[in-house]
Amino acid sequence: MHWNKPWFQFLILLLLAFIWGSSFILMKIGLKSFSSEQAAGIRILLASLVLLPYSIKNLKFLKKKDLKSLLIAGFIGSFIPAFLFTKAQTQIDSALAGMLNSLTPIFTLAIGILLHKTKFKWLQVTGLVIGLIGALGLITSGKDLALGNVNSYALLIVLATVFYGININEIKSKLSHLTGIQITSLSFFFTGPAALIYLATTDFEPVLQSPNWPIHFLALAALGIIGTALAMLLMNSLIRYSSAIYASSVTYIIPVFAILWGVLDGENITVLHLTCMAIILLGVYLTNKKR
């Protein structure tokens, strides 16, 4: 496999950005019939079910010393953020969600330095700042973001990005001896039952009264299977082979795909958009430059 090659890592980063850049649309569709809590629960449960054969196969690699880190990967890295994101999506628009999501690499760097004594290169920090400028420019370009209307729901996404930062550092520093599929399948082995128990306590009667609920369920199924199970498998493998900061810089590229989805929907792409995209790619390139 080519995991050690920078060009391959970059392709995985682009694929992740495409998958997660599409997840905002899938969440929006799912929320038409399901409550935000149900949407998050279904997302995690389906991801866990898809990964279950691998979870059972990899149980032999489950060591007591890794248990805490795997629980962090499952609950701090996926379970809780899933609930935070769907809740936030009920009250804030995707542009603001994308902007706040771009804080992930900043928190990844800060938590790495504070809690894991991660050594960093100034070139990485430069790339981080350049990428953030590009991402913020792309998200705000041509949009009248009413930042005065940033409500408490926006803080849910900020909290999710802190959790992502904790998770990425935990995997990089404590679980590098496991493969991406082992980390992902074993961490979701614990989140699946929690999601199932939670869903059993919710009321599905209003959902069944919505005529299009099967279509909305399919959107959540895609979100769980592709946007969670597959995406976390790729992400956990990428963290293992590259730096934590580089892996987290995927959140800078997500707005690029959000803009491209907009183009397919008939929105215009401007020179400013293209300039910001180029700035993002330069920033991402610098975060993974070896020297």
Side-chain angles (χ1 to χ4, degrees), residues 68-78 167 171 175 183 187 232:
K68 181 179 109 221
S69 298
L70 287 168
L71 287 171
I72 287 172
F75 287 91
I76 302 290
S78 294
N167 173 53
I171 289 171
L175 295 174
I183 296 166
S187 62
M232 290 312 294

Side-chain angles (χ1 to χ4, degrees), residues 93 139-147 149:
D93 65 9
I139 295 159
T140 55
S141 58
K143 288 193 174 68
D144 297 321
L145 277 179
L147 292 177
N149 294 339

Side-chain angles (χ1 to χ4, degrees), residues 34-79:
F34 297 85
S35 73
S36 65
E37 290 84 4
Q38 286 170 336
I42 290 167
R43 176 184 187 174
I44 295 295
L45 178 62
L46 291 177
S48 303
L49 286 174
V50 167
L51 290 164
L52 190 59
Y54 300 98
S55 305
I56 293 164
K57 187 182 159 193
N58 289 313
L59 274 176
K60 59 178 178 285
F61 297 108
L62 183 59
K63 301 281 188 288
K64 195 179 174 184
K65 68 179 176 67
D66 295 332
L67 190 58
K68 181 179 109 221
S69 298
L70 287 168
L71 287 171
I72 287 172
F75 287 91
I76 302 290
S78 294
F79 188 90

Side-chain angles (χ1 to χ4, degrees), residues 4-235:
N4 287 315
K5 305 233 173 15
W7 65 266
F8 186 75
Q9 293 173 3
F10 185 64
L11 283 179
I12 295 297
L13 206 66
L14 287 178
L15 180 58
L16 273 170
F18 172 72
I19 293 170
W20 279 331
S22 314
S23 67
F24 292 106
I25 297 165
L26 294 172
M27 265 186 252
K28 208 171 179 180
I29 295 168
L31 289 169
K32 286 178 179 174
S33 287
F34 297 85
S35 73
S36 65
E37 290 84 4
Q38 286 170 336
I42 290 167
R43 176 184 187 174
I44 295 295
L45 178 62
L46 291 177
S48 303
L49 286 174
V50 167
L51 290 164
L52 190 59
Y54 300 98
S55 305
I56 293 164
K57 187 182 159 193
N58 289 313
L59 274 176
K60 59 178 178 285
F61 297 108
L62 183 59
K63 301 281 188 288
K64 195 179 174 184
K65 68 179 176 67
D66 295 332
L67 190 58
K68 181 179 109 221
S69 298
L70 287 168
L71 287 171
I72 287 172
F75 287 91
I76 302 290
S78 294
F79 188 90
I80 300 172
F83 281 84
L84 294 173
F85 261 93
T86 47
K87 191 72 178 170
Q89 283 276 103
T90 63
Q91 298 293 331
I92 66 173
D93 65 9
S94 295
L96 183 57
M99 181 191 280
L100 295 168
N101 199 29
S102 298
L103 293 170
T104 301
I106 306 293
F107 286 123
T108 301
L109 176 66
I111 290 162
I113 293 166
L114 291 172
L115 301 182
H116 296 272
K117 305 200 168 32
T118 305
K119 290 185 172 65
F120 66 92
K121 302 180 188 74
W122 282 108
L123 190 64
Q124 282 183 314
V125 179
T126 307
L128 212 60
V129 173
I130 290 171
L132 184 63
I133 290 166
L136 295 181
L138 193 60
I139 295 159
T140 55
S141 58
K143 288 193 174 68
D144 297 321
L145 277 179
L147 292 177
N149 294 339
V150 174
N151 53 35
S152 56
Y153 285 86
L155 296 177
L156 297 177
I157 291 189
V158 176
L159 182 59
T161 60
V162 173
F163 283 170
Y164 287 152
I166 293 169
N167 173 53
I168 290 167
N169 279 291
E170 188 72 22
I171 289 171
K172 184 68 187 171
S173 63
K174 303 280 173 66
L175 295 174
S176 284
H177 56 286
L178 296 175
T179 65
I181 186 71
Q182 287 165 357
I183 296 166
T184 312
S185 61
L186 291 172
S187 62
F188 274 87
F189 185 67
F190 300 106
T191 59
L196 181 62
I197 291 163
Y198 178 76
L199 284 169
T201 67
T202 66
D203 181 14
F204 280 95
E205 207 169 306
V207 174
L208 299 174
Q209 286 169 5
S210 169
N212 292 325
W213 76 262
I215 297 164
H216 304 153
F217 177 77
L218 282 176
L220 293 177
L223 187 62
I225 295 163
I226 300 166
T228 309
L230 175 64
M232 290 312 294
L233 172 60
L234 293 171
M235 182 66 167

